[in-house]
C-alpha cells in the first residue's frame, strides 16, 4: 500500500528545486508567531524577508481584503478606480517630505517631492520600472549600482543586483550597469560618465549583510546627482513601512530620491509593488504597464495595513524595540560575535564564522531568523513583536552561541 506523501515530498516532486529549504512545514501564523504542521510555535524574526511588518493574520487587513474582493478584486488601469485613487493619494501623503528651502526635516535637498505613483506587483518589478523610467526620462543608458546591493532577480533588476553567482547562469546581462563599492563616494563619482542615467542604492543593504549607508556618503551622492542631473533611485523594498524606525529609511538621511522603489510590506502581506517618482520623471504612454498593477484588492489591503501601522504607532515601536533589541544583544558575551549593527527592527549580527549552523540551531529553539551573506544572522521581526519575545530570542541566541562553543 502506498503511503500518503508528506508536504515536503509533494513540493519536491512538483516544484523546481530552486530555493534552499528548511526542514519545516509552516501552516499558519498569528502576529509575531508562526506555527508548523505539528503546531509547534516559532517566534518569527524573518517576516518572510521583510514582508510581514504588521504581523500575521491581521484582522483589519483580512476584513478589508474580504470586503474588497466581494466588491471588486481587479480593475485594469484603463479605468479609474476609487480604491486605487485613495491608496495613491495616501502613499504620496506618507512620502518623506523634502523641504525646498533648506534642511528643516533633515532631508532638504529640495528639487521637488515624490508625488507620482506607478503600481506593480513585486520588488523586482518596482526596480524594473525605476530603471526603465530613468532611461526614458534621461535618454541615457548607464545605471550605477553598489557592490553587495540587492534589487531582485528579474533580468533588469538582476543587472543591478550584485553577485556573480546570481548573474552567471543567465548571461548576457542587460548592458550599461556598473557596480562600485558601497559607502565609497570617490569610487562612485569616478564611475560617472556622460551616459549616466541614474544611480540605484539601498539606504540599508539588506541581503548584502544589513549594512546601513554612511550619512556623509549618501548626502554627497545625493547632492552630486542633483547638481549634474543624474537620477537617484532609492530601493526601499526591504526598509520601507516602519522597518527601520521611520516610515521610510530615507528619512534617516539627508537625501532626496527621485524614484523610490517599494514592495514587500506595502500591502500587509498581499503581493504589491510601487515606485513613487518626482514630477520630472516622464514616461511615454503605454510604454510600461502591468495587468495586476494597482488592483483594488491589493490597494485595499495596503490602505488597511498602513492604517494599522499608523494607529498602532508601529514606526515608533520599531525605533524603540530596535534599540532595546540591540542593547540586549550587546549583553551576549561571545567571542563569535564580530559586530552587531542595525537600525530599527532591521538587525544584523556578524559572526567570526559561518552563520548558517546558528540560524539552524535557532530554529530548533523556536526562533526563525535569516542569513544575510554567509556570516551575518539577520533579524527582521514583525514590528508587533513584544519585549518578552525579544528577550526569548536573545536568550536563544546566547544559548546557541554558547552551546557550539563547548
Ligand atoms: C526583496 C528585495 C527586492 C526584490 O523583491 P521581490 O519582490 O522578491 O522581487 C528588491 N530590492 C530589495 C532591497 C529587496 O530586499
Amino acid at each position: 500500500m502506498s503511503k500518503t506523501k508528506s508536504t515536503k515530498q509533494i513540493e519536491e516532486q512538483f516544484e523546481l528545486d530552486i530555493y534552499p529549504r528548511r526542514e519545516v512545514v509552516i501552516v499558519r501564523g498569528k502576529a509575531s508567531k508562526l506555527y508548523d504542521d505539528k503546531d509547534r510555535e516559532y517566534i518569527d524574526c524573518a517576516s518572510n524577508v521583510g514582508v510581514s511588518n504588521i504581523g500575521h493574520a491581521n484582522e483589519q487587513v483580512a476584513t478589508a481584503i474580504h470586503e474588497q474582493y466581494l466588491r471588486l478584486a481587479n480593475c485594469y488601469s484603463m479605468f479609474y478606480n476609487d480604491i486605487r485613487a485613495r491608496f495613491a493619494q495616501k502613499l504620496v501623503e506618507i512620502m518623506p517630505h523634502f523641504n525646498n528651502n533648506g534642511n528643516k526635516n533633515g532631508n532638504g535637498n529640495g528639487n521637488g517631492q515624490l508625488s507620482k505613483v506607478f503600481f506593480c506587483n513585486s520588488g523586482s518589478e518596482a526596480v524594473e520600472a525605476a530603471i526603465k523610467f530613468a532611461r526614458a526620462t534621461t535618454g541615457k543608458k548607464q545605471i550605477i549600482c553598489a557592490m553587495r546591493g540587492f534589487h531582485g532577480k528579474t533580468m533588469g533588476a538582476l543587472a543591478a543586483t550584485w553577485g556573480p553567482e546570481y548573474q552567471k547562469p543567465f548571461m548576457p546581462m542587460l548592458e550599461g550597469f556598473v557596480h562600485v563599492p558601497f559607502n565609497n563616494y570617490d569610487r562612485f563619482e569616478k564611475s560617472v560618465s556622460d551616459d549616466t542615467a541614474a544611480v540605484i542604492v539601498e539606504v540599508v543593504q539588506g541581503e548584502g549583510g544589513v549594512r546601513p549607508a554612511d550619512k556623509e556618503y549618501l548626502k554627497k551622492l545625493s547632492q552630486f546627482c542633483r547638481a549634474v542631473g543624474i537620477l537617484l533611485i532609492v530601493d526601499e523594498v526591504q526598509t520601507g513601512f516602519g522597518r527601520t524606525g521611520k516610515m521610510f529609511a530615507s528619512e534617516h538621511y539627508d537625501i532626496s530620491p527621485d524614484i523610490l522603489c517599494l514592495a514587500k510590506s506595502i500591502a500587509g502581506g498581499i503581493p504589491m509593488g510601487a515606485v513613487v517618482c518626482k514630477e520630472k520623471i516622464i514616461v511615454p504612454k503605454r510604454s510600461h504597464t502591468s495587468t495586476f498593477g494597482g488592483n483594488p484588492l491589493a490597494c485595499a489591503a495596503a490602505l488597511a495595513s498602513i492604517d494599522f501601522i499608523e494607529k498602532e504607532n508601529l514606526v515608533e515601536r520599531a525605533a524603540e524595540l530596535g534599540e532595546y533589541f540591540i542593547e540586549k544583544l550587546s549583553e551576549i558575551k561571545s567571542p563569535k560575535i564580530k559586530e552587531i549593527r542595525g537600525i530599527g527592527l532591521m538587525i544584523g549580527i556578524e559572526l567570526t564564522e559561518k552563520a548558517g549552523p546558528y540560524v539552524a540551531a535557532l530554529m530548533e529553539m523556536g526562533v526563525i531568523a535569516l542569513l544575510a551573506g554567509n556570516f551575518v544572522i539577520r533579524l527582521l521581526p514583525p514590528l508587533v513583536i513584544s519585549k518578552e519575545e525579544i528577550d526569548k530570542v536573545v536568550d536563544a541566541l546566547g544559548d546557541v552561541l554558547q552551546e557550539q562553543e563547548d
Side-chain angles (χ1 to χ4, degrees), residues 48-49 51 121-127 149-154 157 161 200-202 204-207 235-239 261 263-264 272-273 346 378:
N48 294 301
V49 198
V51 169
N121 313 289
S122 70
S124 297
E125 277 183 58
V127 170
F150 185 86
H151 303 290
K153 291 178 186 165
T154 56
T161 287
I200 180 163
V201 69
E202 296 157 273
V204 185
Q205 289 191 327
E207 305 296 312
D235 181 346
E236 287 229 34
V237 166
Q238 190 163 145
T239 53
C261 300
K264 288 202 166 118
M272 176 180 239
M346 182 167 188
R378 176 171 36 157

Side-chain angles (χ1 to χ4, degrees), residues 1 28 71 109 209 248 269 279 299 310 313 370 389:
M1 219 183 78
R28 67 187 179 90
R71 202 165 156 251
N109 274 341
F248 300 99
E279 296 262 357
C299 288
E310 289 179 337
N313 294 317
L370 291 165
E389 287 166 336

